Amino acid sequence: RVGQRLYDLIFKPYTKKQWDKYPAELGPEVLSRIPVRNNHDGRYFSDPHQALPKNGYTAIFEKMLSDPKITVLTSTDFFEVRDKLQCNRLYYTGPIDTYFADLGWPKLEYRSLSFERVVQKDTPGYFQPASVVNHPQAQNMDGE
C-alpha cells in the first residue's frame, strides 16, 4: 500500500517495535487499519468532525467519577478484592496480560505497552510538534 521504501523505513521497523512482530507475521486486518494518505492531512482518522474535549480528558473523567453511584479503588490489588466486590459492572484497568494470565490463558500474541510519564517544565512553546509523535526507527531491533 505504501511502496517498498516507506515500508522499509517506517512500517517494518515501527511494527516490530510496537508489537514485537514483523508485518509479515500479522494478519492483513491489522495492517489494513493503518491510514495511508496522499495529502498533508495529519489527523489519524479522516472523519469530517473531530475534536478534543475543551477542558481535556481529565475533566471528563473527574465529572463522571464524581457520581455517588461510582466507587473508585486505587492502590488496590484487583485479584485480592474481586470476590468481595458487589456490583453490576466492573471495569478492570490493570495490565491486560496479568488479567488473562490469572484466567489461565496463554500469553497474549501481541506485546502490551508500557507508558512512562515525563513532565517537561519550563519548556518554551511546545515540547513536540503534535500530541502523538511516533519514532519508527529500528532502535534496539534484532538487526533485521
Side-chain angles (χ1 to χ4, degrees):
R1 291 176 52 203
V2 297
Q4 192 66 44
R5 183 166 167 75
L6 286 179
Y7 171 82
D8 289 339
L9 290 173
I10 297 173
F11 287 91
K12 183 179 177 183
Y14 186 73
T15 302
K16 179 67 174 164
K17 280 176 64 175
Q18 182 75 12
W19 291 305
D20 196 24
K21 290 185 175 280
Y22 288 104
E25 299 174 271
L26 300 173
E29 69 281 356
V30 175
L31 297 178
S32 68
R33 298 182 322 189
I34 300 170
V36 176
R37 295 193 184 82
N38 295 322
N39 59 29
H40 294 286
D41 186 349
R43 301 172 303 162
Y44 189 79
F45 300 105
S46 19
D47 301 342
H49 304 288
Q50 299 181 51
L52 294 174
K54 180 179 180 182
N55 297 314
Y57 288 104
T58 300
I60 288 175
F61 281 94
E62 284 174 343
K63 186 173 181 180
M64 282 193 301
L65 298 176
S66 68
D67 187 299
K69 295 178 184 175
I70 296 176
T71 301
V72 177
L73 299 175
T74 59
S75 301
T76 303
D77 185 331
F78 167 76
F79 302 102
E80 290 179 7
V81 300
R82 70 175 164 191
D83 294 333
K84 300 171 191 150
L85 300 173
Q86 297 177 358
C87 53
N88 293 329
R89 290 199 176 122
L90 174 71
Y91 298 93
Y92 174 79
T93 60
I96 196 71
D97 290 322
T98 305
Y99 181 81
F100 286 120
D102 185 70
L103 294 173
W105 292 15
K107 187 174 185 321
L108 294 174
E109 182 179 356
Y110 304 114
R111 149 168 83 195
S112 292
L113 298 178
S114 177
F115 293 96
E116 177 182 336
R117 182 172 188 232
V118 176
V119 177
Q120 298 291 332
K121 294 184 179 186
D122 302 322
T123 304
Y126 292 104
F127 178 72
Q128 60 187 32
S131 59
V132 176
V133 177
N134 294 318
H135 300 280
Q137 296 79 9
Q139 256 180 325
N140 300 324
M141 286 180 49
D142 60 8
E144 195 169 325

